[in-house]
Amino acid sequence: MRGNAQGPSPAGADTPPPEQAPSGREAESERWNLYFQATSIGDYHGTFRSPYEGPLSLQNHSERDVSITSTLFFTVRLEPDTFLIFDPEIAGGKGFSGVEGIANQPNGEIPRVASATPKPYIARLLIQHDFGFGSEKEHQDSDENQLAGGRPMTRYSIYAGRFTITDYFDDNNYTHDPRTQFMAWGVMYNGAWDYPADTRGYTWGIVQELHTRNWAFRYGIVAEPQLANGSVFDRRLFRDHGQVWEGERRYSWRNRAGALRILGYANRAQAGNYGEALKLAAATGATPNVTLTDRVGTLKYGTGISFDQAINADAGIFTRLGWNDGKTQSFAFTAMDRLASAGISIKATRWHRKYDVVGTSLTAGGLSAVHREYLAAGGLDFLIGDGRLNYAPEYVWESFYSARLFPDFFATFDVQRDTNPAYNHDRGPVTIYSIRLHFGLSLKPWQM
């Protein structure tokens, strides 16, 4: 569920001339680089109002959970415009109540795996190739999954292999990485985008991108899991797969970088339908179960908007909006049909802490009418289900302060106030406190 997407200029930075390049060794093209990161997040919540509970409710007792991930990011240049990316990763830990009971889960480092045992796996293994047009170049800094050097300004790029689809879509300069920015699921990504992935947030497929000076157009087609929240991918790729389209416009407002992205998606999977589940339950007198209505190739579609704008050298604002059809089973990300999110991120330069960042955001998640009716009748999604429902939008207010304690080592204190967890006005609100420790380092050819 972590990305290294290409996005706009750093927060608050002036828009540089496209041909501007650093001097000395930084202007060289890297042949390879190796980055490492380790992130640990500790979460806590206390008791809250809970007149009843269901099979997938957030438990009304104090919970303390810890997650940890460590990742190697290896990138090598095979040809001038061809790259191999390989990221092995180890992740362990679990979320509150088995990662259940909240649609906008508080810890973006926790996958949808209710197991505390650390396990190794391949996060990314892909080939990237650029077809350049014209002589104009833009400089690219050394980073995770990214080699320093010039890259064609106008290019057609192909990415093929294993990755997370959020590496390339739904980017946002101020909220896209739960290891360094906001942590709640519906803030780090668009919660109404049921993006195709296994339980750890990764998939297999192909992404194509046409990039120009101010515009980018992307298309991806990737594998869906066999079952909702599943770890095994569906091999019926001609019937079950996820497709996503995005257009991006980058611009400068008063010499400050901004971007607007519009996304659309159409997923086909062996998924169910909430309305059909209600009809089946009425005919049989049973509790509705959406999995009893699943069919191969069921369509789920939606759209989203991501916007960010630097205000000055230290501050920037962002917003996301999301919508999906609301009638098809929530399948791979979270149970959310509507999303509105906005916030601000500020560097602490004024109090002489230029590497520190403070941010605050408010996110509202919602459900379609038939989805509400399904949950009110006792139906379960793979993340939420209180047995009944007094519907209200789920609001999450998140604020954090990230402080650099040492070079490459950051500590973050984060507070989230979740009102109406799992869209249930009868339960909550609940306050969640988190501490995040993040460390990263790099090895580059000229440092040897």
Side-chain angles (χ1 to χ4, degrees):
M1 300 171 68
R2 277 70 58 185
N4 185 40
Q6 302 161 7
S9 303
D14 293 342
T15 304
E19 298 270 1
Q20 180 177 334
S23 60
R25 284 184 167 179
E26 289 300 320
E28 300 178 25
S29 293
E30 284 183 319
R31 291 175 289 118
W32 61 271
N33 65 24
L34 181 67
Y35 280 76
F36 170 79
Q37 78 81 31
T39 303
S40 181
I41 299 175
D43 299 313
Y44 167 82
H45 79 79
T47 59
F48 55 92
R49 181 170 61 96
S50 177
Y52 54 87
E53 294 180 353
L56 299 182
S57 293
L58 182 68
Q59 298 300 298
N60 180 28
H61 57 74
S62 297
E63 292 187 277
R64 296 174 176 84
D65 288 303
V66 178
S67 69
I68 185 168
T69 64
S70 60
T71 315
L72 283 174
F73 303 89
F74 176 68
T75 306
V76 61
R77 191 185 301 268
L78 304 179
E79 297 289 343
D81 295 311
T82 304
F83 310 86
L84 171 68
I85 296 171
F86 175 54
D87 297 353
E89 187 166 77
I90 298 175
K94 60 181 182 178
F96 295 141
S97 306
V99 200
E100 294 168 354
I102 301 176
N104 192 351
Q105 285 282 333
N107 184 347
E109 277 290 270
I110 288 288
R112 297 174 300 279
V113 181
S115 172
T117 305
K119 293 184 178 180
Y121 54 91
I122 296 175
R124 297 174 183 84
L125 179 59
L126 67 142
I127 293 290
Q128 169 188 325
H129 182 76
D130 295 335
F131 297 92
F133 303 96
S135 60
E136 188 177 17
K137 301 280 187 178
E138 64 173 354
H139 178 73
Q140 182 172 264
D141 294 327
S142 180
D143 205 344
E144 298 169 357
N145 298 334
Q146 180 174 291
L147 296 180
R151 196 173 182 190
M153 176 66 74
T154 302
R155 60 183 180 266
Y156 167 66
S157 303
I158 297 179
Y159 311 84
R162 179 171 170 84
F163 47 77
T164 172
I165 193 70
T166 58
D167 282 350
Y168 309 106
F169 297 87
D170 189 42
D171 193 15
N172 195 288
N173 200 37
Y174 304 107
T175 176
H176 194 72
D177 185 356
R179 292 170 177 162
T180 60
Q181 300 170 318
F182 293 94
M183 294 193 295
W185 288 14
V187 187
M188 67 179 190
Y189 305 144
N190 192 323
W193 175 28
D194 197 13
Y195 74 90
D198 61 13
T199 54
R200 297 192 182 278
Y202 298 97
T203 186
W204 294 85
I206 297 175
V207 171
Q208 301 172 71
E209 178 186 47
L210 177 62
H211 179 282
T212 68
R213 178 191 291 266
N214 297 317
W215 292 87
F217 302 93
R218 306 179 185 96
Y219 168 74
I221 181 166
V222 297
E224 285 274 10
Q226 283 186 358
L227 303 173
N229 194 32
S231 59
V232 178
F233 286 104
D234 196 330
R235 296 183 180 181
R236 297 165 295 194
L237 297 177
F238 291 102
R239 292 178 294 179
D240 292 344
H241 52 254
Q243 297 185 74
V244 59
W245 303 263
E246 186 176 64
E248 177 184 63
R249 174 67 165 95
R250 298 175 301 277
Y251 62 89
S252 176
W253 175 76
R254 296 185 178 180
N255 209 31
R256 303 297 180 185
L260 175 67
R261 306 166 196 87
I262 300 177
L263 175 147
Y265 76 90
N267 296 340
R268 290 193 178 273
Q270 188 170 330
N273 180 282
Y274 296 118
E276 292 179 9
L278 287 167
K279 292 178 182 178
L280 180 61
T284 60
T287 300
N289 183 347
V290 71
T291 64
L292 298 178
T293 66
D294 62 9
R295 292 186 178 86
V296 172
T298 299
L299 174 65
K300 186 181 184 74
Y301 57 92
T303 187
I305 295 174
S306 175
F307 165 79
D308 57 68
Q309 176 63 61
I311 302 302
N312 55 41
D314 296 323
I317 58 174
F318 68 88
T319 188
R320 277 192 178 100
L321 300 173
W323 175 93
N324 66 53
D325 61 44
K327 62 184 180 180
T328 312
Q329 179 184 7
S330 299
F331 205 75
F333 184 28
T334 191
M336 191 177 296
D337 303 324
R338 312 287 184 260
L339 173 94
S341 179
I344 185 170
S345 180
I346 303 172
K347 294 179 182 178
T349 306
R350 291 196 175 186
W351 51 95
H352 311 292
R353 300 281 302 177
K354 65 179 182 178
Y355 296 105
D356 293 5
V357 177
V358 59
T360 190
S361 68
L362 178 64
T363 301
L367 297 177
S368 67
V370 68
H371 201 166
R372 303 175 206 170
E373 187 179 350
Y374 170 80
L375 291 171
L380 304 178
D381 274 339
F382 63 80
L383 288 176
I384 61 174
D386 293 329
R388 47 181 148 152
L389 183 70
N390 177 14
Y391 176 77
E394 185 181 81
Y395 298 103
V396 174
W397 171 51
E398 178 179 2
S399 298
F400 74 90
Y401 187 96
S402 174
R404 190 178 82 154
L405 303 184
F406 310 102
D408 302 316
F409 184 82
F410 292 80
T412 302
F413 180 68
D414 183 282
V415 180
Q416 298 179 41
R417 181 72 167 177
D418 193 317
T419 304
N420 311 319
Y423 311 102
N424 198 341
H425 190 57
D426 289 341
R427 309 183 78 243
V430 58
T431 302
I432 298 166
Y433 302 94
S434 302
I435 294 177
R436 175 178 62 199
L437 302 177
H438 175 74
F439 171 74
L441 57 84
S442 63
L443 177 64
K444 304 176 186 179
W446 50 71
Q447 293 177 335
M448 297 182 64

